[in-house]
């Protein structure tokens, strides 16, 4: 256990001043629940660590891919911080050996559960953040994720809003959205085109752009947003 | 516009060294799309700023409510960073006056749309973070949110897992979950109780704790997790 704790601190590149906080990060709620004097467990740290991780990963992707649109960055981030990915990183640091588990949870194989490991790794990031500040947490996360950053950007499907909207309306209404040019105005060199888009259910959206193509894309994007709003109120 | 920009920088407590980044944060995609030479718009910054905000708000709640369970913190955070709450803060800083919008978006009232304002405020937080570092962003966010932090904790319903599970099974199966003591072991002063919980559909879960009550709560929590997994695969 002592060896594993040493390896963990080497792997994350941070030596804790406050060992109590490291211990809390490594304590699963099942352990705390089983002891007569419940000690602190790592759920609060996981809440904070999730946000520490999200910012550090976002910042790294933002600077690595200066041309990437928001949607592509979001997609990359969600892969990097997914439960299986984090659990894998946790195992590499021998975090599974360090966690304090309740006996019940232990006997049910909790020590190797992805969700438990990924939560504990997030708690560790919060512990580093509280112990050493944002810079320390950033260093730690970069160290753990080194070699994991994607080399290149796979353009997400989401870029082409028109295609996505058409797929959706075909599926839902067995019909396509209809685009029409509603207006064009302004002098020749900075003409503005306004496009009207009508969904098969009659819902109307308008948008403008410096070309008809751009205006259509914007209109499709809006329509997708409206449809999403009706799905997740 | 110049006055509004000045007020904005005073309100967020940050004077930008790099004015280009502030301009990007204030540029909506509709503006970029309408110009013949598309300038940068704020969607990438919004991606980063969302994470900056999430961490700063999480950290503040974490330290303000040292006894609050994770669920309560998550609930408080989601209220503070909700779209209407952020839009309100954006209006207080006159952000609506500073945003560069496309003509189409403008004519459709986009300048007062909550989603547009809240996205722009997040982009501003990213701009402060990139211009002045994490400390500057934290200061800014604390300044903007001063007076908004909740005074006390409203315990979320989620704390009592047994009650929540019972509500759910009543609704879904018109029946209650059944708890039974499966095992108790260990010496008297640190006895461990294992509880079995059977859902009306036959699904079984076991959990342990230092009292039957704690073990039942843990079992109910697990069962709720399992049910959630079947709902959101």
């Amino acid at each position: 256990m002592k060896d594993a704790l040493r390896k963990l601190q080497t792997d994350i590149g941070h030596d804790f001043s406050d060992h109590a906080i490291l211990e809390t990060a490594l304590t699963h709620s099942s352990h705390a629940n089983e002891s007569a004097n419940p000690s602190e467990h790592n759920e609060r740290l996981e809440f904070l660590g999730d946000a520490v991780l999200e910012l550090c990963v976002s910042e790294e992707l933002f600077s690595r891919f200066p041309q990437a649109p928001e949607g592509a960055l979001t997609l990359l981030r969600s892969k990097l911080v997914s439960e299986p990915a984090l659990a894998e990183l946790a195992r590499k640091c021998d975090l599974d050996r360090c966690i304090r588990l309740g006996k019940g949870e232990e006997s049910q194989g909790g020590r190797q559960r992805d969700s438990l490991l990924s939560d504990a790794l997030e708690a560790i990031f919060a512990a580093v953040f509280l112990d050493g500040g944002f810079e320390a947490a950033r260093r730690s996360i970069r160290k753990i994720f080194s070699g994991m950053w994607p080399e290149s950007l796979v353009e997400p499907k989401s870029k082409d809003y028109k295609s996505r909207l058409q797929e959706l309306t075909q599926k839902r209404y067995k019909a396509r959205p209809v685009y029409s040019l509603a207006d064009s105005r302004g002098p020749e060199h900075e003409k503005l085109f306004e496009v009207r888009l009508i969904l098969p259910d009659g819902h109307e959206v308008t948008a403008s752009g410096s070309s008809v193509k751009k205006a259509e894309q914007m209109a499709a994007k809006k329509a997708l947003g409206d449809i999403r709003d009706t799905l997740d109120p």
Side-chain angles (χ1 to χ4, degrees), chain A residues 14-65:
Chain A
H14 182 76
D15 269 317
F16 280 87
S17 316
D18 177 0
H19 284 265
I21 205 166
L22 172 59
E23 197 167 298
T24 302
L26 293 170
T27 304
H28 186 251
S29 60
S30 62
H31 182 92
N33 268 311
E34 285 184 8
S35 74
N37 300 318
S39 54
E40 274 199 84
H41 57 71
N42 66 9
E43 286 184 2
R44 278 170 47 86
L45 286 175
E46 181 216 329
F47 161 83
L48 181 60
D50 174 77
V52 172
L53 176 65
E54 180 124 336
L55 176 52
C56 293
V57 169
S58 301
E59 186 194 14
E60 188 73 22
L61 293 174
F62 185 90
S63 73
R64 277 179 183 254
F65 299 104

Side-chain angles (χ1 to χ4, degrees), chain A residues 130-155:
Chain A
L130 293 172
D131 192 60
F134 180 70
E135 283 304 326
R138 170 152 59 185
R139 252 194 324 271
S140 220
I141 288 168
R142 283 190 183 157
K143 189 159 191 302
I144 299 244
F145 278 83
S146 72
M148 303 293 293
W149 304 110
E151 282 302 315
S152 66
L153 201 64
V154 183
E155 286 284 316

Side-chain angles (χ1 to χ4, degrees), chain A residues 96-199:
Chain A
D96 49 335
R97 288 172 59 205
C98 302
I99 291 175
R100 303 198 300 170
L101 266 190
K103 288 171 201 157
E105 191 65 52
E106 183 82 81
S107 69
Q108 291 164 52
R111 194 170 287 279
Q112 286 305 327
R113 232 184 32 242
D114 275 7
S115 63
L116 193 147
L117 288 170
S118 106
D119 289 353
L121 186 61
E122 290 180 338
I124 291 282
F125 294 142
V128 176
F129 174 73
L130 293 172
D131 192 60
F134 180 70
E135 283 304 326
R138 170 152 59 185
R139 252 194 324 271
S140 220
I141 288 168
R142 283 190 183 157
K143 189 159 191 302
I144 299 244
F145 278 83
S146 72
M148 303 293 293
W149 304 110
E151 282 302 315
S152 66
L153 201 64
V154 183
E155 286 284 316
K157 258 171 99 188
S158 65
K159 248 214 111 176
D160 179 9
Y161 299 110
K162 273 184 77 176
S163 310
R164 277 183 57 209
L165 180 64
Q166 187 171 321
E167 276 171 30
L168 199 71
T169 55
Q170 283 288 12
K171 214 159 118 185
R172 197 189 259 203
Y173 307 107
K174 314 268 176 236
R176 295 168 169 231
V178 177
Y179 298 83
S180 59
L181 185 62
D183 192 17
S184 73
R185 56 179 185 270
E188 200 52 51
H189 64 285
E190 48 168 2
K191 222 180 187 80
L192 193 62
F193 299 89
E194 188 172 301
V195 158
R196 176 177 300 124
L197 155 56
I198 307 180
L199 290 178

